[in-house]
Every structure is written in structure tokens, then in C-alpha cells.
Amino acid sequence: MSETPSKEDELAGSEQPFVQHLMELRDRMVKAIIAIGIAAAILFFFPGPGELYDFLAAPLVAHLPKGATLIATSVISPFMVPLKILLMAAFLLALPFVLWQVWAFVAPGLYSHEKKLVLPLVISSTLLFFIGVAFCYYLVFGQVFAFIQSFAPKSITAAPDIEAYLSFVLSMFLAFGLAFEVPIAVVVLARMGVVSIEKLREFRGYFIVLAFVIAAIVTPPDVVSQLSLAIPMCILYQVGIWAAQVFIKHTKAPEEGSEPASNS
């Protein structure tokens, strides 16, 4: 009588010593840091730190009164603020390579169905974050600054500080970048079995209220920016439900006992 052959583990024999894992992690971190350094060097010469800040400040400057500019209230602000933007831009420019190094480190320890789960999430979450930042810069900033300047009294001249503006921009970029990750959060929760697709549909009405509450907290107290954040979140929540249905179907683990048993 023959026994049913056990399915061979696809990761069998791929184990490595702990020290070797640490060495590989070190090497990949060094490569990622070098990539960021190369990106920073390129951006330093073209277009340059000052030009990067000018690009970042363009939506605000376009709506300032004629002749008004941003100001620096600290002695070292004209040096430190463009440098911070340079490093931030370098990290974003090198982010695809950095994420590839992360993926190359963890991929050998994943099963094939787990790779189908992780890699699409890494790529899509990165793209969605960039889309959220671009949406904020190109579509939201112009409307927000025009709305704010329309309330400015004629007796004052607006002259925002460059550090305060950088802090505002980074907080808005982070808010919109994370808001555009809503589909990823929905997919992960559904794929992990925390909530079902049906429960996500039932929660849709509550999420709409939650989206407007979040928008009221993290954005300036103006209707334009709040609507600009809340409405995309509501749309992306529904997109996440649709994506979860497709994602769950294509990333299921192989069922145990699916191998045909041999008869004695």
C-alpha cells in the first residue's frame, strides 16, 4: 500500500544563517543610501535646491499680492530649508530603487502566493502615494491659496515664512498621500479576513462621515481643502472594495490536500 506523497515545501533548503541575513540587509541598506546620495547629487546641480523650493512655492507665490514674496525669519533658513527639500526630493526620486531593495530582501522568504500578495501592494501603494501628492500640489494648492487670499484684508500684505510654508506643504502632502492609500487599507483588511466584503459595503455610509471628520481635522479650516480630501477618500473606498474582490480571488494560498491521493 502506497502513501500519499506530501507536497514539497517550495521554500525548503532556502534557509540562511542569521548573520548572513544581517550582512545582506546591510548591503541592501548601503545600496539604498547610495542611490539616495546619487539622486541628491543630481538634484543639487540640476535643477538645484533653490529652484526646487521655487517649484514647491509656486502655487502660493502665484496668489500672493503683486510684489509680495516669502520671507525667512531665521538666519540659516535660506540654507536649511532648500537643503531639506533637496533631501526629500532625492528620497522620492530614489524610492523605486529603495523599494526594490526591500523587495529583493524579503522575496526569497515568501511563498509564491505571498509574492502575489506583497509585490502588487508595494507597487500600488507607492503609486497611490505619489498620485495623492501630485493631486494636492497641482489641483488643491491653487484652489486653497486663492480661497485664503480672497479673505485677506486689503490693509495687510501677506508674507509667509519659508519654514512655515514647508511645514504646511509637508503636512498636506502626507495627508493626501495617506488618504490615497485607502484602497490599500481596504484590500489588506479584507485579504487578512479582518472584515468581509459585505461588512465593508455596510460600513460605506459610516466611512463617508469619517472621511469628512478626518478632512476637517488634518486640513486647514477651509471648505475647499476639506472637500478636496474627503471626496477622493470616499471614491477610493469604493475602489478598494472592488479591488479587494479581485485581489482575494487571485492571491489565495493553495488549498491543503489538493494533491490527488494515490490509491492502494
Side-chain angles (χ1 to χ4, degrees), residues 36-239:
I36 296 174
I38 293 174
I42 294 173
L43 293 174
F44 182 82
F45 292 102
F46 181 81
E51 286 72 13
L52 286 174
Y53 190 89
D54 290 340
F55 174 77
L56 195 66
L60 175 60
V61 173
H63 293 90
L64 289 177
K66 186 177 180 180
T69 62
L70 279 76
I71 62 172
T73 57
S74 173
V75 175
I76 62 173
S77 290
F79 171 75
M80 292 301 300
V81 173
L83 183 60
K84 291 178 182 177
I85 296 177
L86 175 68
L87 295 176
M88 180 186 70
F91 176 76
L92 293 177
L93 183 62
L95 186 57
F97 182 81
V98 173
L99 292 176
W100 174 254
Q101 293 301 314
V102 175
W103 170 251
F105 178 73
V106 302
L110 300 177
Y111 290 100
S112 57
H113 69 276
E114 291 174 333
K115 293 179 182 179
K116 292 179 182 179
L117 170 68
V118 176
L119 184 57
L121 288 179
V122 171
I123 296 175
S124 57
S125 61
T126 304
L127 290 177
L128 284 172
F129 187 86
F130 282 151
I131 292 172
V133 170
F135 178 82
C136 180
Y137 179 85
Y138 288 104
L139 298 179
V140 177
F141 276 173
Q143 301 299 323
V144 169
F145 296 145
F147 179 81
I148 292 175
Q149 290 301 318
S150 66
F151 279 85
K154 301 298 182 182
S155 57
I156 68 170
T157 300
D161 176 60
I162 60 174
E163 287 193 75
Y165 178 71
L166 176 61
S167 177
F168 169 80
V169 167
L170 292 181
S171 62
M172 289 289 285
F173 280 172
L174 184 62
F176 277 83
L178 293 179
F180 273 63
E181 300 291 334
V182 167
I184 305 300
V186 172
V187 168
V188 171
L189 290 174
R191 179 62 182 81
M192 294 177 63
V194 178
V195 291
S196 64
I197 298 295
E198 188 59 35
K199 288 293 183 182
L200 289 170
R201 292 196 183 101
E202 294 175 1
F203 188 71
R204 187 186 294 115
Y206 297 100
F207 183 83
I208 292 175
V209 176
L210 180 63
F212 278 89
V213 171
I214 293 174
I217 294 174
V218 303
T219 61
D222 65 275
V223 178
V224 176
S225 59
Q226 293 176 7
L227 291 177
S228 299
L229 183 63
I231 293 176
M233 286 180 67
C234 297
I235 296 174
L236 290 169
Y237 181 81
Q238 181 59 48
V239 172

